[in-house]
Amino acid sequence: MNLELQQFKADFYKALAHPMRIRILEVLCEGDKNVNEIQAIIGSEGSAVSQQLSVLRNKNVVYGSKEGTTVVYSLRDPLVKDLLQVTKQIFDNHLVGTISLLESMRASEQ
């Protein structure tokens, strides 16, 4: 079981390992969107957005539901929003640490 969980985690993080996929997830955190809406928000070509949505869909991170002729995408699990928030907090902590280090280096040079 532990190996299966580790494989799930690795596959899940691989699905997130692209800046456009992260941006798409951030957009979907704000609510369900179709490809055209996502494309307009992130300012990218529809084919690129569709390709990245396909990766996220295949890894069960998002799902699409048909509304007429349009597919509307949603987060499969709302905890993805929390994960992105925690990731931002980790980045912010890293940034604060880097700024503190630079300030210490500047102070020791003077």
Side-chain angles (χ1 to χ4, degrees):
M1 177 64 173
N2 195 24
L3 186 57
E4 290 176 26
L5 179 58
Q6 291 168 344
Q7 187 61 53
F8 171 81
K9 288 178 181 179
D11 290 341
F12 181 80
Y13 285 116
K14 283 179 196 174
L16 303 183
H18 191 283
M20 185 180 290
R21 291 195 290 263
I22 296 293
R23 184 65 185 117
I24 289 169
L25 292 175
E26 290 171 343
V27 167
L28 292 177
C29 284
E30 298 167 9
D32 303 346
K33 306 272 187 290
N34 64 44
V35 175
N36 292 333
E37 291 171 322
I38 296 169
Q39 176 186 349
I41 292 168
I42 67 175
S44 184
E45 296 177 22
S47 61
V49 170
S50 293
Q51 182 181 17
Q52 299 307 327
L53 279 166
S54 177
V55 172
L56 292 169
R57 195 176 53 247
N58 289 336
K59 295 295 183 180
N60 292 313
V61 180
V62 302
Y63 68 94
S65 55
K66 205 113 158 115
E67 292 185 7
T69 59
T70 305
V71 178
V72 176
Y73 289 91
S74 308
L75 297 175
R76 183 161 298 277
D77 191 320
L79 288 174
V80 169
K81 187 174 183 175
D82 295 340
L83 176 66
L84 294 174
Q85 276 296 106
V86 169
T87 304
K88 184 183 179 312
Q89 290 171 339
I90 292 169
F91 175 79
D92 290 349
N93 291 344
H94 177 73
L95 190 58
V96 166
T98 301
I99 290 169
S100 296
L101 177 63
L102 288 172
E103 288 171 350
S104 295
M105 290 172 61
R106 282 189 190 145
S108 67
E109 289 176 354
Q110 294 176 356

